[in-house]
Amino acid sequence: MPGNSFGKIFRLTSFGASHDPWIGGVIDGCPAALRLDREAIQVEMDRRRPGGNPLGTARNEADRVELISGVLDGTTLGTPIALLIANKDARPQDYDHLKDTFRPGHADRSWEQKYGVRDHRGGGRSSARETAVRVAAGAIARQLIATAGMRVNAFVTQVGEARLEAAYDTLDLSATWNEPVRCPDAATAKRMTEAIETVRAEGDTVGGIITCVVSGMPPGLGEPVFDKLHADLARAMLGINAAKGFQLGEGFAAAAMRGSAYNDALIADDTGAVTTSTNHSGGIQGGISNGENIVFDVAFRPVSTLMKEQRTVDREGRSVVLEGKGRHDPCVVPRAVPIVEAMTCLVLADHWLRQRTARL
Amino acid sequence: MPGNSFGKIFRLTSFGASHDPWIGGVIDGCPAALRLDREAIQVEMDRRRPGGNPLGTARNEADRVELISGVLDGTTLGTPIALLIANKDARPQDYDHLKDTFRPGHADRSWEQKYGVRDHRGGGRSSARETAVRVAAGAIARQLIATAGMRVNAFVTQVGEARLEAAYDTLDLSATWNEPVRCPDAATAKRMTEAIETVRAEGDTVGGIITCVVSGMPPGLGEPVFDKLHADLARAMLGINAAKGFQLGEGFAAAAMRGSAYNDALIADDTGAVTTSTNHSGGIQGGISNGENIVFDVAFRPVSTLMKEQRTVDREGRSVVLEGKGRHDPCVVPRAVPIVEAMTCLVLADHWLRQRTARL
Amino acid sequence: MPGNSFGKIFRLTSFGASHDPWIGGVIDGCPAALRLDREAIQVEMDRRRPGGNPLGTARNEADRVELISGVLDGTTLGTPIALLIANKDARPQDYDHLKDTFRPGHADRSWEQKYGVRDHRGGGRSSARETAVRVAAGAIARQLIATAGMRVNAFVTQVGEARLEAAYDTLDLSATWNEPVRCPDAATAKRMTEAIETVRAEGDTVGGIITCVVSGMPPGLGEPVFDKLHADLARAMLGINAAKGFQLGEGFAAAAMRGSAYNDALIADDTGAVTTSTNHSGGIQGGISNGENIVFDVAFRPVSTLMKEQRTVDREGRSVVLEGKGRHDPCVVPRAVPIVEAMTCLVLADHWLRQRTARL
Amino acid sequence: MPGNSFGKIFRLTSFGASHDPWIGGVIDGCPAALRLDREAIQVEMDRRRPGGNPLGTARNEADRVELISGVLDGTTLGTPIALLIANKDARPQDYDHLKDTFRPGHADRSWEQKYGVRDHRGGGRSSARETAVRVAAGAIARQLIATAGMRVNAFVTQVGEARLEAAYDTLDLSATWNEPVRCPDAATAKRMTEAIETVRAEGDTVGGIITCVVSGMPPGLGEPVFDKLHADLARAMLGINAAKGFQLGEGFAAAAMRGSAYNDALIADDTGAVTTSTNHSGGIQGGISNGENIVFDVAFRPVSTLMKEQRTVDREGRSVVLEGKGRHDPCVVPRAVPIVEAMTCLVLADHWLRQRTARL
């Protein structure tokens, strides 16, 4: 059953695999009359593109986005926006040895269990190559929600043992893009970079954590019960390759806290404007944004493909030893930062439009 | 826009608020010809019902589930199954003081920001009272997935600082229900109970963590890209009141791990049957179940309502001090265990039916 | 897979069968802050209820609608509105002879082919009893769209050979409810009534046509391509029991027309206000309302249950002769008028809310 | 809100406009392991393509379908199937005079009323050019349902006053494609062709009717209540440009019939196999297929663009006279036959997959 669409009103349908001629997507539900800045879309693509980061894969793709419908003279028409991104630097021959062998930690075997057939070339559609489509669509969503003042900033807060300890509101988040490792604090960025270089040198990989902050939030976004704003954010984040955990505000640390310490007190100023004294709840209460910054973390597992021998099985159920091959990132988090932002933008665009129908 | 339905094929629509005459739900998409054990549904209800746990609220509800359609002579007909649960021990007068005041940490203010109107009686539909419907529906889903061998067990692994350190597969999970705190290890249960009694005595509250294990998993469940099985589980869990975090397998700990330690090696036995040497990935790879046990954790914040004074604001934006009143749990996790199980069952029932259309 | 919900934003989920204790529904997506007139809902119910029309079935139901959630002090809350209608005059024993026999023209056999099981009591959920829920939900939708000026009027234009020849805009549509046969022209109503009395006397039944007019239409409702406004209206109408045809404006007659006669010329008055010279296209162009009246017809087959012997088969595939029994209408159209109106209101409410997201 | 997707399990999302570089679509939910015959897809395209029919427009498009994802070595993978069709013979300059003028009978004005912006080039996305995507997707759906024995045949039964009177089961439906007018009866085809040539010579256009027959139907397809099989067929048909009416079986004629004449008697043969003596109900009862042939008609209005002067208005609300220009069909039905078939195949593929979840 379809699982390749995301969103109820602002809705992305994604297609394409690592070694198809193109990957692409269709956005249905983007309102008419939005002025689109195409270069701003490309800026996002460049932040994610393979070949654009010294810490990442050697695969090199220009990732120029072609908008082939839904936009006329720079303005959206209300019709579906289709986008295409060419796969140019594919090397299917690199994957011949995987046709009948399942890589440990990868989706190779579970996809075969599901469908009985599988595109083994570069992992097929389970490849993170598909996330380029999300970044392009997210860049359009970002321009939509910017009209309502929302700003989305993600950055790396952990790589292996190297953690960013400073609170986000003490940092200049615009510095994130200065560092290939995508941590806005230069000293921490250095430690993270070293951690990645170390595992790369050993043919190994390492995990990490990305934090995302949304400022300029309008209150009232998110639907009660099942479609809580953070529930949809969690689903969006765990739909990213290698993501294994999500927490909002204090998250798992809240388990050890008392209510008297956790509750965000409501404070009114002289004009009757209300804020919260703290933001332990991460800007969402009862599933609905309260106007404070949204803050959440996403945990990523280490990349599955090692440049080392690993024990595994083939399609006939025979034990084999797999050598590491292909072009892969040693750590996914630097290149996942724009993906986290993109998925956040898609969730917010959808909920912002949903909110238009909440009141008479 | 609608947010009160859950699932694409096995689909629950929930309705009702804390102080309505009934709460209830409609399950559309349950296959015909399932034999339903009504007493098994009631067992689940009893595990969650208020008044049924010495560690919980003093509100007392029998929570008898009436199935008013979709079942004839104990067998499902393929038509919608509607269920009703009466609210009998409601005390709306307990909430008069909240008509114009927002409780800190609660959804009072964000709901008002969203809709402009609000049912202040017992929190209205933001009350955890609504989760009784999910438990009833989940009990039906559980009977459906049991026909395919799936078994779902949740239990408390942390309350405040008290943590269960033993691995789940060294425990007798059936012992979970012996302890009001819902931890299968008696010694840990004792420490958790003490933690709850301590905060209760102080008019305070505390958070916790629930772990859930699914055994007997068929491989192949979960849809690639956006509807990954763990993405849908995360959304289901964060749709539960007070849930703030979700992690699969190693989860956040994976951020500090290396790929060579994290990857679950594939091992074949003499017959060609394949398992994994470890289960760091929590039974899901690339969003698709691989047949190993699914293991995940859900973090809960401390309950918002304190039996203490708290600083807050009223609807006119004036600072006020709120006294604690009403009947509330000091810790949500013991009564949330059946809710975590129920939501898990709903996700699995949906994906199990979705998988029927994956192959020619 | 679920088929018991209708609408994308204003969404009705219906449940219950002819001989269940209640039938009912849940409306999710009704905006908050709508003042609801409960008596206006009951007026609609009375127009449809069995026992309320001398031309209809002898089954007698009060059809009082209980709104059990989603409304506080007469105002919608934005939460799901659940409604219940009791089945009081059910006589399951009247249907014992149908447990193992399929009635010709009914859904008995096709439901058994679909599900393998079946509720034979009064046709179970295939009974038109279920449409009472739609009338109740439609009455709420009607109050919503009335805030935007939309008015929906349906009436009977054909029973058997008796046809209403006058154009709708020459009639006083408010007279529709004066006549049990629901035709606003008294002379034609008399002929229609005679046609029904004739077939009833012979133990036979007869078909008919209902026409529906929507005035006060805002332009711009309807979505291009698949969700055209008239496509959704057609689906809504053909989802009504016994409906077999739908046409918009000139409909089937357009097949024999030339474009020069069919096209509705656009005319501007001195102020630049634009109307069409004719309305052959029935108020919808390219699937989108143009502000003119929407006009469509729905054809209904004769009622299947005859008070005559009919040849049929039993579950074992043996030929049997079925005698007519039970309480049935000899012609469905008089009581279907409020159902046509209700489904129209549901479609318009949904598209009116959808339109809120069409433009930046 | 999105309206460019069709189907719940077998789901087509369509994009692109008349003068975009490509039009295309994405099919999500096609099961894995279907062998796809690409040439069979092209056969369908050729039957619809502009330039391929002497009775149609002079626009000439090769309409080669590129499948860019979801298929490997001729077999579906279970992943989204994206398809592209190039627009090569577009002439945007032909439409400059329509930038500020609304054509009568067209969607020009209602789209502008909806979105405030509009692609005037060739009607933008309201152009029937978009239906090429549906034909391509329908050709894939056809191959899927053929595995279950379903065969779909549509043909022209009326053009203006020229009607096919013979019953469909007395005709050789394979002869449909021999005649450019797509009527399987040569004598009637001649009269229809003359009717089209006559109106074309006069710069006028004419309407028509297409009948569609599905044989080899499995029983049990269609969902009760809102998603009845014929309700979804009606929606599919009225989503086709210029379609204005739908009827199943006897359709509107049933309004004048008696139940004793209309009811299809059930007949068992010696083996207990059951058929119906007649098929007035068109193969669907209670919204569910009964295994008999499905038969329905679709009425089409005359084409809006005339090669004549017409009275209309411009965007400023001034009366203007519009001259006929551009390349258009004088009658839509010959080229709409493959579109009716395609939409039928999409509906059946979806319901066939939906039925997989109906029973335990």
Side-chain angles (χ1 to χ4, degrees):
Chain A
M1 191 193 173
N4 295 285
S5 295
F6 188 85
K8 294 196 170 176
I9 294 189
F10 190 99
R11 183 170 180 87
L12 168 66
T13 298
S14 151
F15 61 83
S18 175
H19 286 61
D20 286 325
W22 287 286
I23 53 174
V26 184
I27 298 168
D28 198 10
C30 184
L34 175 68
R35 297 287 310 167
L36 268 196
D37 178 343
R38 292 196 187 211
E39 279 319 298
I41 299 171
Q42 206 57 44
V43 167
E44 310 265 342
M45 297 305 292
D46 291 346
R47 288 173 173 171
R48 184 212 152 277
R49 80 176 176 85
N53 192 318
L55 295 174
T57 174
R59 180 167 171 172
N60 195 348
E61 296 285 0
D63 280 354
R64 296 296 305 178
V65 178
E66 295 177 61
L67 299 183
I68 65 173
S69 69
V71 185
L72 188 66
D73 299 335
T75 298
T76 59
L77 291 164
T79 55
I81 302 171
L83 55 92
L84 288 178
I85 303 162
N87 285 330
K88 293 190 170 151
D89 191 21
R91 296 190 196 157
Q93 68 280 11
D94 280 9
Y95 295 91
D96 284 350
H97 66 299
L98 295 176
K99 197 162 183 178
D100 297 309
T101 304
F102 302 129
R103 293 169 296 174
H106 271 280
D108 297 350
R109 182 163 162 264
S110 57
W111 277 57
E112 183 116 3
Q113 287 172 310
K114 181 176 191 67
Y115 294 119
V117 292
R118 178 171 62 98
D119 178 1
H120 67 284
R121 304 165 307 163
R125 187 153 168 77
S126 74
S127 165
R129 178 78 190 127
E130 177 273 333
T131 59
V133 173
R134 310 192 200 185
V135 172
I140 293 173
R142 186 193 296 267
Q143 296 187 35
L144 178 62
I145 61 176
T147 67
M150 286 176 265
R151 295 177 304 279
V152 175
N153 288 284
F155 45 95
V156 174
T157 45
Q158 186 173 338
V159 170
E161 305 284 352
R163 297 179 71 147
L164 174 64
E165 302 292 347
Y168 78 86
D169 47 10
T170 65
L171 298 168
D172 172 14
L173 298 186
S174 69
T176 300
W177 306 108
N178 301 342
E179 298 285 346
V181 81
R182 307 309 188 203
C183 174
D185 179 69
T188 311
K190 187 156 179 291
R191 288 190 295 126
M192 290 174 171
T193 303
E194 288 165 0
I196 293 175
E197 298 295 3
T198 300
V199 297
R200 179 166 15 202
E202 299 176 16
D204 213 334
T205 62
V206 70
I209 295 178
I210 292 173
T211 296
C212 187
V213 176
V214 187
S215 54
M217 272 304 296
L221 304 199
E223 303 289 323
V225 184
F226 301 115
D227 292 1
K228 290 183 165 78
L229 187 55
H230 58 297
D232 277 2
L233 285 167
R235 176 170 171 268
M237 294 307 133
L238 288 161
I240 300 174
N241 306 42
K244 294 290 179 175
F246 172 92
Q247 60 185 1
L248 177 73
E250 292 289 339
F252 277 87
M257 291 175 75
R258 289 189 170 204
S260 53
Y262 183 94
N263 274 357
D264 300 315
L266 291 165
I267 303 171
D269 70 12
D270 295 345
T271 69
V274 176
T275 55
T276 58
S277 60
T278 52
N279 190 16
H280 298 301
S281 67
I284 298 174
Q285 280 172 325
I288 298 170
S289 65
N290 64 0
E292 304 300 315
N293 288 351
I294 291 178
V295 188
F296 61 85
D297 305 305
V298 189
F300 289 85
R301 53 158 289 166
V303 170
S304 300
T305 302
L306 314 182
M307 294 299 112
K308 290 186 164 186
E309 288 190 350
Q310 290 186 89
R311 184 178 171 191
T312 190
V313 299
D314 65 14
R315 296 180 75 192
E316 273 67 47
R318 288 174 301 216
S319 290
V320 293
V321 169
L322 184 74
E323 282 183 81
K325 266 198 210 175
R327 299 166 294 174
H328 296 273
D329 302 72
C331 179
V332 78
V333 293
R335 283 183 54 222
V337 169
I339 307 169
V340 165
E341 290 192 353
M343 292 306 299
T344 303
C345 291
L346 289 174
V347 170
L348 293 173
D350 196 39
H351 276 278
W352 182 61
L353 291 171
R354 290 177 74 169
Q355 176 61 7
R356 290 192 182 186
T357 66
R359 298 183 186 201
L360 185 57
Chain B
M1 191 192 174
N4 295 285
S5 294
F6 188 85
K8 293 195 171 178
I9 295 189
F10 191 99
R11 184 171 181 87
L12 168 66
T13 299
S14 151
F15 61 84
S18 176
H19 285 62
D20 286 325
W22 287 286
I23 53 174
V26 185
I27 299 167
D28 199 10
C30 184
L34 175 68
R35 296 288 310 168
L36 269 194
D37 179 343
R38 291 197 187 211
E39 280 318 299
I41 299 171
Q42 206 56 46
V43 167
E44 309 264 343
M45 297 305 292
D46 291 345
R47 287 173 174 172
R48 183 212 153 275
R49 80 176 175 84
N53 193 317
L55 295 174
T57 173
R59 179 166 170 174
N60 195 347
E61 296 285 1
D63 280 355
R64 296 296 306 177
V65 177
E66 295 177 62
L67 299 183
I68 64 173
S69 70
V71 184
L72 188 66
D73 300 333
T75 298
T76 59
L77 291 164
T79 54
I81 301 171
L83 55 93
L84 289 178
I85 303 163
N87 284 331
K88 292 191 171 150
D89 192 21
R91 295 190 197 157
Q93 67 280 12
D94 281 8
Y95 296 90
D96 284 350
H97 65 301
L98 295 175
K99 198 160 184 179
D100 297 309
T101 304
F102 302 128
R103 294 169 294 175
H106 271 279
D108 298 349
R109 183 163 162 263
S110 57
W111 278 57
E112 183 117 4
Q113 287 172 310
K114 181 175 191 68
Y115 293 118
V117 292
R118 177 171 62 98
D119 179 0
H120 67 284
R121 304 164 307 164
R125 189 156 166 75
S126 74
S127 166
R129 178 78 190 128
E130 177 273 333
T131 58
V133 173
R134 310 192 200 185
V135 172
I140 293 173
R142 186 193 297 268
Q143 296 186 35
L144 178 62
I145 62 176
T147 66
M150 286 177 265
R151 293 176 306 278
V152 175
N153 289 286
F155 45 95
V156 174
T157 45
Q158 186 173 337
V159 170
E161 306 284 353
R163 295 180 72 148
L164 175 64
E165 303 292 349
Y168 78 85
D169 47 8
T170 66
L171 298 168
D172 172 13
L173 297 186
S174 69
T176 299
W177 306 108
N178 301 341
E179 298 284 346
V181 81
R182 308 307 188 203
C183 174
D185 179 69
T188 312
K190 187 155 179 290
R191 287 190 295 126
M192 289 174 172
T193 304
E194 288 163 1
I196 293 176
E197 297 295 3
T198 300
V199 296
R200 181 172 6 206
E202 299 176 17
D204 212 335
T205 62
V206 70
I209 295 178
I210 293 173
T211 296
C212 186
V213 176
V214 187
S215 56
M217 273 304 297
L221 305 199
E223 302 289 322
V225 183
F226 301 114
D227 293 1
K228 290 182 165 79
L229 187 56
H230 58 297
D232 278 1
L233 285 168
R235 176 170 172 268
M237 295 306 133
L238 287 161
I240 300 174
N241 306 42
K244 294 289 179 176
F246 172 92
Q247 60 184 1
L248 177 72
E250 292 289 339
F252 277 86
M257 292 175 74
R258 290 189 170 205
S260 53
Y262 183 95
N263 274 358
D264 301 315
L266 291 165
I267 303 171
D269 69 12
D270 295 344
T271 68
V274 175
T275 55
T276 58
S277 60
T278 51
N279 189 17
H280 299 300
S281 67
I284 299 174
Q285 280 173 324
I288 297 170
S289 66
N290 64 1
E292 305 300 316
N293 288 349
I294 290 178
V295 188
F296 60 86
D297 305 306
V298 189
F300 290 84
R301 53 158 290 164
V303 170
S304 300
T305 302
L306 313 182
M307 295 300 112
K308 289 186 165 186
E309 288 190 350
Q310 290 187 90
R311 185 178 170 190
T312 189
V313 299
D314 65 12
R315 297 181 75 192
E316 273 67 47
R318 289 175 301 216
S319 289
V320 294
V321 170
L322 183 75
E323 281 184 81
K325 265 199 211 175
R327 298 167 294 175
H328 297 273
D329 303 72
C331 179
V332 78
V333 293
R335 284 183 53 222
V337 170
I339 308 169
V340 165
E341 290 192 354
M343 292 307 298
T344 304
C345 291
L346 289 174
V347 170
L348 293 173
D350 196 39
H351 276 278
W352 182 61
L353 290 171
R354 289 177 75 169
Q355 177 60 7
R356 289 193 183 184
T357 66
R359 297 181 185 202
L360 186 58
Chain C
M1 193 196 172
N4 295 285
S5 294
F6 188 85
K8 294 196 170 176
I9 295 190
F10 190 98
R11 183 172 180 86
L12 167 66
T13 298
S14 151
F15 61 83
S18 176
H19 286 62
D20 286 326
W22 287 287
I23 52 175
V26 184
I27 298 167
D28 198 10
C30 184
L34 175 68
R35 295 288 310 167
L36 267 196
D37 178 343
R38 292 198 185 210
E39 281 318 299
I41 299 171
Q42 206 57 45
V43 167
E44 311 265 342
M45 297 304 291
D46 291 345
R47 288 173 173 172
R48 183 211 153 277
R49 81 176 175 83
N53 192 318
L55 296 174
T57 174
R59 179 167 171 174
N60 195 346
E61 296 284 1
D63 280 356
R64 295 296 306 179
V65 177
E66 295 177 62
L67 299 183
I68 64 175
S69 70
V71 184
L72 189 66
D73 300 334
T75 298
T76 60
L77 291 164
T79 54
I81 302 171
L83 56 93
L84 287 178
I85 303 163
N87 285 331
K88 292 191 171 151
D89 191 20
R91 295 191 197 157
Q93 68 280 12
D94 281 8
Y95 296 89
D96 284 350
H97 65 301
L98 295 176
K99 198 160 184 180
D100 298 309
T101 305
F102 302 129
R103 293 169 295 174
H106 270 280
D108 297 349
R109 183 163 161 262
S110 58
W111 277 58
E112 182 115 5
Q113 287 172 311
K114 181 175 190 69
Y115 293 118
V117 293
R118 177 171 63 98
D119 178 0
H120 67 284
R121 305 164 307 162
R125 188 155 166 77
S126 73
S127 166
R129 179 78 192 127
E130 176 272 333
T131 58
V133 173
R134 310 193 201 183
V135 172
I140 294 173
R142 186 193 297 267
Q143 296 186 34
L144 178 63
I145 61 176
T147 67
M150 285 176 265
R151 294 176 305 278
V152 175
N153 288 284
F155 45 96
V156 174
T157 45
Q158 185 174 338
V159 171
E161 305 285 351
R163 298 179 71 146
L164 175 64
E165 302 294 347
Y168 78 85
D169 47 9
T170 66
L171 298 169
D172 172 14
L173 297 187
S174 70
T176 299
W177 305 108
N178 301 340
E179 299 283 347
V181 80
R182 306 312 187 200
C183 174
D185 179 68
T188 311
K190 189 156 177 289
R191 287 191 295 127
M192 289 172 170
T193 303
E194 287 164 1
I196 293 175
E197 297 297 1
T198 300
V199 297
R200 175 157 31 193
E202 297 177 17
D204 212 336
T205 63
V206 69
I209 295 178
I210 292 173
T211 296
C212 187
V213 176
V214 187
S215 55
M217 273 304 298
L221 305 199
E223 302 289 323
V225 184
F226 301 115
D227 293 2
K228 291 182 165 78
L229 187 55
H230 58 298
D232 277 2
L233 285 168
R235 177 170 171 267
M237 295 307 133
L238 287 160
I240 300 174
N241 306 42
K244 293 289 178 174
F246 171 92
Q247 60 185 2
L248 177 73
E250 292 290 338
F252 277 86
M257 291 176 74
R258 289 188 170 205
S260 53
Y262 183 95
N263 274 358
D264 300 315
L266 291 166
I267 304 172
D269 68 13
D270 295 345
T271 68
V274 175
T275 55
T276 58
S277 59
T278 51
N279 190 17
H280 298 302
S281 67
I284 299 173
Q285 281 174 324
I288 298 170
S289 66
N290 64 0
E292 305 300 316
N293 288 350
I294 291 178
V295 188
F296 60 85
D297 305 305
V298 189
F300 290 85
R301 53 158 291 164
V303 169
S304 300
T305 302
L306 313 182
M307 293 301 112
K308 289 185 164 186
E309 289 191 348
Q310 291 187 89
R311 186 178 170 189
T312 190
V313 299
D314 66 13
R315 298 181 74 191
E316 273 67 46
R318 288 175 300 215
S319 290
V320 293
V321 170
L322 184 73
E323 282 183 81
K325 267 198 211 174
R327 298 166 295 175
H328 296 274
D329 302 73
C331 179
V332 77
V333 292
R335 284 183 52 222
V337 170
I339 309 168
V340 165
E341 290 192 352
M343 293 306 299
T344 303
C345 291
L346 290 173
V347 170
L348 293 173
D350 195 40
H351 276 279
W352 182 61
L353 291 170
R354 290 176 74 169
Q355 176 60 7
R356 290 193 182 184
T357 65
R359 297 182 186 201
L360 185 58
Chain D
M1 191 194 173
N4 295 285
S5 294
F6 188 85
K8 294 196 169 176
I9 295 189
F10 191 99
R11 184 172 180 86
L12 168 66
T13 298
S14 151
F15 62 82
S18 176
H19 286 62
D20 286 326
W22 287 286
I23 52 175
V26 184
I27 298 167
D28 198 10
C30 184
L34 175 69
R35 297 287 309 167
L36 269 195
D37 178 344
R38 292 196 186 210
E39 280 318 299
I41 299 171
Q42 206 57 44
V43 167
E44 310 263 343
M45 297 304 292
D46 291 346
R47 288 174 172 171
R48 184 212 152 277
R49 80 176 176 85
N53 192 318
L55 296 174
T57 175
R59 180 165 170 172
N60 196 345
E61 295 285 1
D63 280 355
R64 295 297 305 178
V65 178
E66 294 178 62
L67 300 183
I68 64 174
S69 69
V71 184
L72 188 66
D73 300 333
T75 297
T76 60
L77 291 164
T79 54
I81 302 171
L83 55 92
L84 288 178
I85 303 163
N87 284 330
K88 291 191 170 149
D89 191 21
R91 294 190 198 159
Q93 67 281 12
D94 281 7
Y95 296 90
D96 284 350
H97 65 301
L98 296 175
K99 198 161 183 179
D100 297 311
T101 304
F102 302 128
R103 293 169 296 174
H106 270 281
D108 297 350
R109 182 163 162 264
S110 58
W111 278 58
E112 183 117 3
Q113 287 171 311
K114 182 177 190 68
Y115 293 118
V117 292
R118 178 170 60 99
D119 179 0
H120 68 284
R121 305 165 306 164
R125 187 154 168 77
S126 73
S127 166
R129 178 78 191 128
E130 176 272 335
T131 59
V133 173
R134 310 192 201 184
V135 171
I140 293 173
R142 187 193 297 268
Q143 297 187 34
L144 178 63
I145 61 176
T147 66
M150 286 176 266
R151 294 177 304 280
V152 175
N153 288 285
F155 46 95
V156 175
T157 45
Q158 185 174 336
V159 170
E161 304 285 352
R163 295 181 71 148
L164 174 65
E165 302 294 347
Y168 79 84
D169 47 8
T170 66
L171 299 167
D172 172 13
L173 298 186
S174 70
T176 299
W177 305 108
N178 301 340
E179 298 285 345
V181 81
R182 306 312 187 202
C183 174
D185 179 69
T188 311
K190 188 155 177 289
R191 287 190 295 128
M192 291 173 170
T193 304
E194 287 164 2
I196 294 175
E197 297 296 3
T198 300
V199 297
R200 181 171 7 205
E202 298 177 15
D204 212 335
T205 62
V206 70
I209 296 178
I210 292 173
T211 296
C212 186
V213 176
V214 187
S215 55
M217 273 303 298
L221 305 198
E223 301 290 322
V225 184
F226 300 115
D227 292 2
K228 291 184 165 78
L229 187 55
H230 58 296
D232 277 3
L233 285 168
R235 176 170 171 267
M237 294 306 133
L238 287 160
I240 300 174
N241 306 42
K244 294 288 179 175
F246 172 92
Q247 60 185 3
L248 177 72
E250 292 290 338
F252 277 86
M257 291 175 75
R258 289 189 169 204
S260 54
Y262 183 95
N263 274 359
D264 300 315
L266 291 165
I267 303 171
D269 69 11
D270 295 345
T271 68
V274 176
T275 55
T276 58
S277 59
T278 51
N279 190 16
H280 298 301
S281 67
I284 299 174
Q285 281 175 323
I288 298 170
S289 66
N290 64 0
E292 305 300 315
N293 287 351
I294 291 178
V295 188
F296 61 85
D297 305 305
V298 190
F300 290 84
R301 53 158 290 164
V303 170
S304 300
T305 302
L306 314 182
M307 293 300 112
K308 289 185 164 186
E309 290 191 347
Q310 290 187 89
R311 186 178 169 189
T312 190
V313 300
D314 66 13
R315 297 181 74 190
E316 273 67 46
R318 288 174 302 215
S319 290
V320 293
V321 169
L322 184 73
E323 281 183 82
K325 266 199 213 177
R327 299 167 293 176
H328 297 274
D329 302 71
C331 179
V332 77
V333 292
R335 284 182 53 222
V337 170
I339 308 168
V340 165
E341 290 191 353
M343 293 306 299
T344 303
C345 291
L346 290 173
V347 170
L348 293 173
D350 195 39
H351 276 278
W352 181 61
L353 291 170
R354 289 177 76 170
Q355 177 60 8
R356 290 194 182 183
T357 66
R359 297 183 187 199
L360 186 57

